[in-house]
Amino acid sequence: MITGIELIKACSAIGAGLAMIAGIGPGIGQGYAAGKGAEAVGRQPEAQGDITRTMLLGAAVAETTGIYGLIVAMILLFANPFI
Amino acid sequence: MITGIELIKACSAIGAGLAMIAGIGPGIGQGYAAGKGAEAVGRQPEAQGDITRTMLLGAAVAETTGIYGLIVAMILLFANPFI
Amino acid sequence: MITGIELIKACSAIGAGLAMIAGIGPGIGQGYAAGKGAEAVGRQPEAQGDITRTMLLGAAVAETTGIYGLIVAMILLFANPFI
Amino acid sequence: MITGIELIKACSAIGAGLAMIAGIGPGIGQGYAAGKGAEAVGRQPEAQGDITRTMLLGAAVAETTGIYGLIVAMILLFANPFI
Amino acid sequence: MITGIELIKACSAIGAGLAMIAGIGPGIGQGYAAGKGAEAVGRQPEAQGDITRTMLLGAAVAETTGIYGLIVAMILLFANPFI
Amino acid sequence: MITGIELIKACSAIGAGLAMIAGIGPGIGQGYAAGKGAEAVGRQPEAQGDITRTMLLGAAVAETTGIYGLIVAMILLFANPFI
Amino acid sequence: MITGIELIKACSAIGAGLAMIAGIGPGIGQGYAAGKGAEAVGRQPEAQGDITRTMLLGAAVAETTGIYGLIVAMILLFANPFI
Amino acid sequence: MITGIELIKACSAIGAGLAMIAGIGPGIGQGYAAGKGAEAVGRQPEAQGDITRTMLLGAAVAETTGIYGLIVAMILLFANPFI
Amino acid sequence: MITGIELIKACSAIGAGLAMIAGIGPGIGQGYAAGKGAEAVGRQPEAQGDITRTMLLGAAVAETTGIYGLIVAMILLFANPFI
Amino acid sequence: MITGIELIKACSAIGAGLAMIAGIGPGIGQGYAAGKGAEAVGRQPEAQGDITRTMLLGAAVAETTGIYGLIVAMILLFANPFI
Amino acid sequence: MITGIELIKACSAIGAGLAMIAGIGPGIGQGYAAGKGAEAVGRQPEAQGDITRTMLLGAAVAETTGIYGLIVAMILLFANPFI
Amino acid sequence: MITGIELIKACSAIGAGLAMIAGIGPGIGQGYAAGKGAEAVGRQPEAQGDITRTMLLGAAVAETTGIYGLIVAMILLFANPFI
Amino acid sequence: MITGIELIKACSAIGAGLAMIAGIGPGIGQGYAAGKGAEAVGRQPEAQGDITRTMLLGAAVAETTGIYGLIVAMILLFANPFI
Amino acid sequence: MITGIELIKACSAIGAGLAMIAGIGPGIGQGYAAGKGAEAVGRQPEAQGDITRTMLLGAAVAETTGIYGLIVAMILLFANPFI
């Protein structure tokens, strides 16, 4: 017999997996940033500090949506309000 | 026995996962911005402040749709009006 | 027993998640704008004010469709006319 | 027991979510316009007024299909002729 | 009990949502046109009138398929011949 | 009780929505044409008449497949031979 | 009761909608041709006749697959050999 | 009651619609050819005959797969060996 | 009553439609070849024979996979070994 | 009554159609090769023999995966070890 | 009556078709290699041997994943360990 | 008999597989970074240290979303709170 | 009657087919490497040894994920721990 | 009779196949790195050591997400905690 609470748990496991797919976006974006940063450093090695700072600042912002997905997945797993 | 309220909860868990997929967009976009910013700083290190400000301003706007998704997922999880 | 009103609520939760997927578009678009803006500032730092204004004006317009999605999701959640 | 009128309501909620996906298009398009506008202003700051006007005019036209989607979603929600 | 007329109404609501997805096309296209128009005005501000006219003429044609989708959705909602 | 004629009507409503998705193609294509036209006018404003004529001629041909979709949707809705 | 002939009719309505999706291809292709044609006319306005002729010739060939889809949809609707 | 022969007919109608989707390929390809041809004519109007011949020759080959799809759809509709 | 042989026939009709989708590939590829060929002829009209021969040779090879799909569809329709 | 052997046959027909979809890859790839080859011949007509040989050699390798698909489809149809 | 062994056989036929889809990758990749090789030979015909060797070496490596798919399909068909 | 706890376990296995798909993003992004880094080193070998550091720093950030997916998959497998 | 062990076997056959789809990635990537390698050799034939070594080294790394898929498929087929 | 433990095993086999799809990302990315590396070596053969080291370092990082997928698949197969 499958109870309702177990159906919610099963759907939460699938939902947590779905939420992680959002990681495709930051992965591609930050990789693009890393490549462009390496290219820029190659052209002006003396500006490496500034370039790296700018790149990391931008990548940190891009990271957020990946973290949002992680947060939602974690809530679904450990602080699931439906159970 | 599965009750209606449990079906709503299960669907909300899946809906929260779906809403996070929107994070693909800002992830790619902000990463592009970070890469272009790093490239621009590499060309004109003396303008780093202005470039970073512009980049972060634009990325902050792009962040919004990712945050909208997080808000909807949070409402579905913690302030679900259907339960 | 699942009642019709509960089926509507479950479908509304999924529909709200679907509506947020529209956020992929503005996310990519505004990120492109941010990158191009940062690049332009890097070339002409003295025009930063004008560039940022134009970029934000355009990004604000692009934001609208993301907000439409949020509005529809919010209506589905809090002002659902079907319940 | 699920009545037909409730099935219509549930499908309308899903349909409203589907209609908002159209927002991906204007989001990408208008963001492209914003980026190109910022780039153009960066090259010719003295023509900012003209560039912004053209960009906003074009973006306003692109907005229409996103608004069509909002209209259809709103009709499905608040002026649903099937109920 | 679900009657046939109610099934038609439910499917029409979904069909109307599907028809609005066509809006992705004009949204991207017209945004491209807006960006290219702004770029062109930035290069030759004195030709703004001609550029804008050409851009709007082309965007008006691109609008048509989005409007077709709206028409079909409206017919499905308000002049549904199947009911 | 769902009769066969009602199933046909329901499927026709979905089919009409599917047929409108073809509008994505002309929307992107004509928008590209509009952008390229505006760009060309910006380079040679004195040739605006010729450019616009060529652009509209080509866009008119691209319109056809969108119209085919509208025709099929209209036939499914108003001249449905299956009912 | 759903008879077989009615199932065929319902599937034909869906099949006609599917066949129209082929219109995405010619729509994008012909729009590309229109844009390239307008660009070419902008560069060499005195060759407009030749450019337009070549563009239309090529677009006419691209039209064919869209027309094939229309033909199959029309046959499914009006000359359906299965009914 | 649905007989087997009617199921075959229904599936053939869907299969004919599926086969037409192949038209997306030639549509995009031939449109690309038309655009490149118009561009080439714009550069060397005196070689229009040769360019057009080459373009049409190549487009004719690309047409084949679209025609294959039409043939299979026609066989499924009018010379269906399964009925 | 649906017999097994009729199910095979119905699946073969769908399979034949699926096999034709392979035509998207050669359609795009050969169209690209046609466009590149027309462009090359436009640059060096005196080499038209060689360019056309090379283009057709390559397009003939690309045609093969489309023909493979046609062969499999034909076998499924007329020489179906399962019936 | 559907027997197991008939289900295998029906699935084999679908599997054969699926295997042919692999033809999209070689079709696009070989068409790209044909276009690049025609372009290269247009630049250096005296090297046509070498260019064509190289192009055909590479295209022959690309053909293999299409042929693998044909082989598997043929085995499924004529030498099906499961029947 | 469908026995378990027959279900395994049916799923193996579908799995073999799925495995062949991997052929899309090598097909596109090797075609790109062929095109680049032909282009390189066109620029430096005297290095044809070296270019062809390098191209074939790289294409041979790319072939492997297509062959892996063929191997798995063959095992599923002729050396199926589950039967 | 399938118990609810077993359904949760089965869904968790699928959810773990889904979460790993996020790895497509970092894979493409970091590979782009590696390619750009190698290109930059090739242009300025004396800056190899700086380029590599920048590239690895950016790639490490891009790695995070892949690791998030791994974490969620591991939690689903070994610290599943639903069991 | 279908036993559980047979369901596992059937799902393993499908899972093996799914795992091979990963071959699309290395196929495209290695083909890109082969094309770039051939291009590089065409420019500097005297560096063929170094170019080929670098290309093969990189392609060997890209091969790994394809091999991972093959390993998992092989385990599912011949060392299936679930049977 | 299908027991719950067998359903878990069947879903784990499918989940393992899904996890391997992540290999598409590193495959494309590392192939891009290999191509860029070969190109860079072709331009500066004397820097081959540095270029190769940078390329392999970056590709090793990109490899990780593919390995994560392999790990999860292996755990699902050999250290499945649900059985």
Side-chain angles (χ1 to χ4, degrees):
Chain A
M1 193 62 194
I2 297 173
T3 66
I5 209 72
E6 285 162 347
L7 180 72
I8 296 173
K9 284 180 178 170
C11 284
S12 295
I14 301 244
L18 274 179
M20 295 322 290
I21 291 180
I24 291 174
I28 294 178
Q30 291 169 341
Y32 177 85
K36 278 289 175 189
E39 193 178 34
V41 167
R43 277 202 202 116
Q44 294 220 337
E46 71 278 6
Q48 193 211 8
D50 286 347
I51 294 170
T52 310
R53 255 195 303 277
T54 310
M55 183 190 79
L56 284 181
L57 206 66
V61 179
E63 186 70 18
T64 47
T65 52
I67 291 177
Y68 295 165
L70 183 63
I71 291 172
V72 169
M74 283 298 171
I75 292 172
L76 279 171
L77 290 175
F78 291 115
N80 199 316
F82 299 149
I83 313 177
Chain B
M1 193 62 194
I2 297 173
T3 66
I5 209 71
E6 286 162 347
L7 180 72
I8 297 173
K9 284 180 178 171
C11 285
S12 294
I14 301 243
L18 275 179
M20 294 323 289
I21 290 179
I24 291 174
I28 294 178
Q30 292 169 341
Y32 177 85
K36 278 289 175 189
E39 193 179 34
V41 168
R43 276 202 202 117
Q44 295 221 337
E46 72 278 6
Q48 193 212 7
D50 286 348
I51 294 170
T52 310
R53 255 195 303 277
T54 310
M55 184 191 79
L56 284 181
L57 205 66
V61 179
E63 186 71 17
T64 47
T65 51
I67 291 177
Y68 294 166
L70 184 63
I71 291 172
V72 169
M74 284 298 172
I75 292 172
L76 278 171
L77 290 175
F78 291 114
N80 199 316
F82 299 149
I83 312 176
Chain C
M1 193 61 193
I2 297 172
T3 65
I5 208 72
E6 285 162 347
L7 180 72
I8 297 173
K9 284 180 178 171
C11 285
S12 294
I14 300 244
L18 274 179
M20 294 322 290
I21 291 179
I24 291 174
I28 294 178
Q30 291 168 341
Y32 177 85
K36 278 289 174 188
E39 193 180 35
V41 167
R43 276 201 203 119
Q44 294 221 338
E46 71 278 6
Q48 193 212 7
D50 287 347
I51 294 170
T52 310
R53 253 195 304 277
T54 310
M55 184 191 79
L56 285 181
L57 205 66
V61 180
E63 186 71 16
T64 48
T65 52
I67 291 177
Y68 295 165
L70 184 63
I71 291 172
V72 169
M74 284 298 171
I75 291 173
L76 278 171
L77 289 174
F78 292 114
N80 199 317
F82 299 148
I83 312 176
Chain D
M1 193 61 193
I2 297 172
T3 66
I5 208 71
E6 285 162 348
L7 180 72
I8 296 173
K9 283 180 179 172
C11 285
S12 294
I14 300 243
L18 275 179
M20 294 323 290
I21 291 179
I24 291 175
I28 294 178
Q30 290 168 342
Y32 177 85
K36 279 288 174 188
E39 193 180 34
V41 167
R43 276 201 203 118
Q44 294 221 338
E46 71 277 7
Q48 193 211 7
D50 286 348
I51 293 170
T52 310
R53 253 194 305 276
T54 309
M55 183 191 79
L56 284 181
L57 205 66
V61 179
E63 186 71 16
T64 48
T65 53
I67 291 178
Y68 295 165
L70 183 63
I71 291 172
V72 169
M74 284 297 171
I75 291 172
L76 278 170
L77 289 175
F78 291 114
N80 199 316
F82 298 148
I83 313 176
Chain E
M1 193 62 193
I2 298 172
T3 65
I5 208 72
E6 284 162 347
L7 180 72
I8 297 173
K9 283 180 179 171
C11 284
S12 294
I14 300 243
L18 275 178
M20 294 323 290
I21 291 179
I24 292 175
I28 294 178
Q30 291 168 341
Y32 177 86
K36 278 289 173 186
E39 194 180 32
V41 167
R43 276 201 203 119
Q44 294 222 338
E46 70 278 7
Q48 193 212 8
D50 286 348
I51 294 170
T52 310
R53 252 195 304 276
T54 309
M55 183 191 79
L56 285 181
L57 205 66
V61 179
E63 186 71 17
T64 47
T65 53
I67 291 178
Y68 295 166
L70 183 64
I71 291 173
V72 169
M74 283 298 170
I75 291 172
L76 278 171
L77 290 174
F78 291 113
N80 199 316
F82 299 149
I83 313 176
Chain F
M1 193 61 193
I2 297 172
T3 65
I5 208 72
E6 284 162 347
L7 180 72
I8 297 173
K9 283 180 179 171
C11 284
S12 295
I14 301 246
L18 275 179
M20 294 323 291
I21 291 179
I24 291 174
I28 294 178
Q30 291 169 341
Y32 177 85
K36 278 290 173 185
E39 195 180 33
V41 166
R43 277 200 203 118
Q44 294 221 337
E46 68 278 7
Q48 193 211 9
D50 286 347
I51 294 171
T52 311
R53 253 196 303 277
T54 309
M55 183 191 79
L56 285 181
L57 206 65
V61 179
E63 186 71 17
T64 47
T65 53
I67 291 178
Y68 295 166
L70 183 64
I71 290 173
V72 169
M74 283 299 171
I75 291 173
L76 278 171
L77 290 174
F78 292 114
N80 199 316
F82 299 149
I83 313 175
Chain G
M1 193 62 193
I2 297 173
T3 64
I5 208 72
E6 283 162 349
L7 180 73
I8 297 173
K9 283 180 178 170
C11 285
S12 295
I14 301 245
L18 275 178
M20 295 322 291
I21 291 179
I24 292 174
I28 294 178
Q30 292 168 341
Y32 177 84
K36 278 289 173 185
E39 195 180 32
V41 166
R43 277 200 203 119
Q44 293 221 338
E46 69 279 6
Q48 193 212 7
D50 286 348
I51 294 170
T52 311
R53 254 196 303 277
T54 309
M55 183 191 80
L56 285 181
L57 206 65
V61 179
E63 186 71 16
T64 47
T65 52
I67 291 178
Y68 295 166
L70 183 63
I71 290 173
V72 169
M74 284 297 170
I75 291 173
L76 278 170
L77 290 175
F78 292 114
N80 200 316
F82 299 149
I83 312 176
Chain H
M1 194 62 193
I2 297 173
T3 66
I5 209 72
E6 283 162 349
L7 180 72
I8 296 173
K9 284 181 179 170
C11 284
S12 295
I14 300 246
L18 275 178
M20 295 322 291
I21 291 179
I24 291 175
I28 294 178
Q30 293 169 341
Y32 177 85
K36 278 291 174 185
E39 196 179 31
V41 166
R43 277 200 203 120
Q44 293 221 338
E46 69 279 6
Q48 193 212 9
D50 286 347
I51 294 170
T52 311
R53 253 194 305 276
T54 310
M55 183 190 80
L56 285 181
L57 207 64
V61 179
E63 186 71 17
T64 49
T65 52
I67 291 178
Y68 295 166
L70 183 64
I71 290 172
V72 169
M74 283 298 170
I75 291 172
L76 278 170
L77 290 175
F78 291 115
N80 201 316
F82 299 149
I83 312 176
Chain I
M1 194 63 194
I2 298 174
T3 65
I5 208 72
E6 284 162 349
L7 181 71
I8 297 173
K9 284 180 179 171
C11 284
S12 294
I14 301 247
L18 275 179
M20 295 322 292
I21 291 179
I24 292 174
I28 294 178
Q30 292 169 340
Y32 177 84
K36 278 291 174 185
E39 196 179 31
V41 166
R43 277 200 203 120
Q44 293 221 338
E46 69 279 6
Q48 194 212 8
D50 286 347
I51 294 170
T52 310
R53 254 195 304 278
T54 310
M55 183 190 80
L56 285 181
L57 206 65
V61 179
E63 186 71 17
T64 48
T65 52
I67 291 178
Y68 295 166
L70 184 63
I71 290 173
V72 170
M74 284 298 170
I75 291 172
L76 278 170
L77 291 175
F78 292 115
N80 201 314
F82 299 150
I83 311 177
Chain J
M1 194 62 193
I2 298 174
T3 66
I5 208 72
E6 284 162 349
L7 180 71
I8 297 173
K9 284 181 178 169
C11 284
S12 295
I14 300 246
L18 275 179
M20 295 323 292
I21 291 179
I24 292 174
I28 294 177
Q30 292 169 340
Y32 177 84
K36 277 291 174 184
E39 195 179 31
V41 167
R43 277 202 203 119
Q44 294 220 338
E46 69 279 6
Q48 194 212 9
D50 286 346
I51 294 170
T52 309
R53 255 194 303 277
T54 310
M55 183 190 80
L56 285 181
L57 206 65
V61 180
E63 186 71 15
T64 49
T65 52
I67 291 178
Y68 295 166
L70 183 62
I71 290 172
V72 169
M74 284 298 170
I75 292 172
L76 279 170
L77 290 175
F78 291 114
N80 201 315
F82 298 150
I83 310 177
Chain K
M1 194 62 193
I2 298 174
T3 66
I5 208 71
E6 285 162 348
L7 180 71
I8 297 173
K9 284 181 179 170
C11 284
S12 294
I14 301 245
L18 274 179
M20 295 322 292
I21 291 179
I24 292 174
I28 294 177
Q30 292 169 341
Y32 177 84
K36 277 291 174 185
E39 194 179 32
V41 167
R43 276 202 203 118
Q44 294 220 338
E46 69 280 5
Q48 194 211 8
D50 286 347
I51 295 170
T52 310
R53 255 194 304 276
T54 310
M55 183 191 80
L56 285 181
L57 206 66
V61 179
E63 186 71 16
T64 48
T65 52
I67 290 178
Y68 295 166
L70 183 63
I71 291 172
V72 169
M74 284 297 169
I75 291 172
L76 279 170
L77 290 175
F78 291 114
N80 200 315
F82 299 149
I83 310 177
Chain L
M1 193 61 194
I2 298 173
T3 66
I5 208 72
E6 285 162 347
L7 180 72
I8 296 173
K9 284 181 178 170
C11 285
S12 294
I14 301 246
L18 274 179
M20 295 322 291
I21 291 180
I24 291 175
I28 294 178
Q30 291 169 342
Y32 177 85
K36 278 290 175 188
E39 193 179 33
V41 167
R43 277 203 201 116
Q44 294 220 338
E46 70 279 6
Q48 194 212 7
D50 287 347
I51 294 170
T52 309
R53 255 195 303 278
T54 311
M55 184 191 79
L56 284 181
L57 205 67
V61 179
E63 186 70 18
T64 48
T65 52
I67 290 177
Y68 295 165
L70 183 63
I71 291 172
V72 169
M74 284 297 171
I75 291 172
L76 279 171
L77 290 175
F78 292 114
N80 200 316
F82 298 149
I83 312 177
Chain M
M1 194 61 193
I2 298 174
T3 66
I5 208 72
E6 284 161 348
L7 180 72
I8 296 173
K9 284 181 179 169
C11 284
S12 295
I14 301 245
L18 274 179
M20 294 323 291
I21 291 179
I24 292 175
I28 294 178
Q30 292 169 341
Y32 176 83
K36 277 291 174 187
E39 194 178 33
V41 167
R43 276 201 202 118
Q44 294 220 337
E46 69 280 5
Q48 194 211 8
D50 286 348
I51 294 170
T52 310
R53 256 194 303 277
T54 310
M55 183 190 79
L56 285 181
L57 206 66
V61 180
E63 186 70 17
T64 49
T65 52
I67 290 178
Y68 295 166
L70 183 63
I71 291 172
V72 169
M74 283 297 170
I75 292 172
L76 279 170
L77 290 175
F78 291 113
N80 200 315
F82 298 149
I83 310 178
Chain N
M1 193 62 194
I2 298 173
T3 66
I5 208 72
E6 284 162 347
L7 180 71
I8 297 173
K9 284 181 179 170
C11 284
S12 294
I14 301 246
L18 274 178
M20 295 322 291
I21 291 179
I24 292 174
I28 294 178
Q30 292 169 341
Y32 176 85
K36 278 290 174 187
E39 194 179 32
V41 167
R43 277 202 202 117
Q44 294 221 337
E46 70 280 5
Q48 194 212 8
D50 287 347
I51 294 170
T52 310
R53 255 195 304 277
T54 311
M55 184 190 79
L56 285 181
L57 206 66
V61 180
E63 186 70 17
T64 48
T65 52
I67 290 177
Y68 295 166
L70 183 64
I71 291 172
V72 169
M74 284 296 170
I75 292 171
L76 278 171
L77 290 175
F78 291 113
N80 200 315
F82 299 149
I83 311 178

